[in-house]
Amino acid sequence: MGDGYNFQQLKAAILALSQAADLEVAKKEWRLVDISEADEPETCLCGHFPIIELCTIANAATAKSVDVGNVCVKRFLGFRSDLIFQSLKRVRADLDKAISKDATAFFHERGVINDWEYQFQQSTMRKRILSQRQLEIRRAINQKVIAAVRRRGLS
């Protein structure tokens, strides 16, 4: 590919961890289960180095899991984890900003934010002017989400 991402290497590694022998069938076995950030650069299954934004994918058929970079998750599963990482960067820089709809859905599905917080995020996401109470709630939710993204390498 010339960009440091070797899809053939990723494909071989994923198939070795899958029950299916065909990549299209194997894709259906895998799900994105977590995201994290590494303190030290790591290497993706595809051979790309460095990756900091890690996506943990798990295979439902074999119960195996592995970390890959967000570019490979996008290419392999079609999941836009890059949008979640962009949203995290934005709210880290300014807690008054809303997390994106993709990030809201991801963190709700994983139980980081509850149903009420999910609905609050959905209803205030596009609002630029919030009441003081709404702003406090948004900041609390943002801090909760940021805290949920574990940093690998920290004790």
Side-chain angles (χ1 to χ4, degrees), residues 93-155:
D94 184 355
L95 282 176
D96 292 350
K97 300 281 185 190
I99 59 173
S100 69
K101 65 179 181 176
D102 297 301
T104 300
F106 178 81
F107 291 112
H108 181 251
E109 288 168 6
R110 275 133 197 96
V112 174
I113 60 175
N114 62 36
D115 292 341
W116 187 89
E117 292 165 325
Y118 175 78
Q119 291 301 325
F120 176 85
Q121 285 293 102
Q122 293 292 349
S123 66
T124 62
M125 189 176 302
R126 298 219 182 265
K127 287 187 176 181
R128 293 180 187 241
I129 300 172
L130 300 175
S131 71
Q132 188 60 37
R133 181 67 183 135
Q134 287 173 321
L135 203 50
E136 289 169 7
I137 293 169
R138 178 180 280 176
R139 288 180 190 142
I141 294 170
N142 286 345
Q143 288 171 332
K144 192 177 188 182
V145 165
I146 290 168
V149 179
R150 73 188 191 322
R151 294 188 62 85
R152 182 172 304 176
L154 292 178
S155 348

Side-chain angles (χ1 to χ4, degrees), residues 8-9 14 19 21 26 32 34 37 46 49 52 55 61 67 83 93-94 102 112 118 136-137 143 147:
Q8 293 306 318
Q9 183 175 329
I14 291 294
Q19 193 172 45
L32 177 67
D34 199 12
E37 295 173 324
C46 74
F49 179 86
I52 300 293
C55 298
D67 291 327
L83 297 176
D94 184 355
D102 297 301
V112 174
Y118 175 78
E136 289 169 7
I137 293 169
Q143 288 171 332

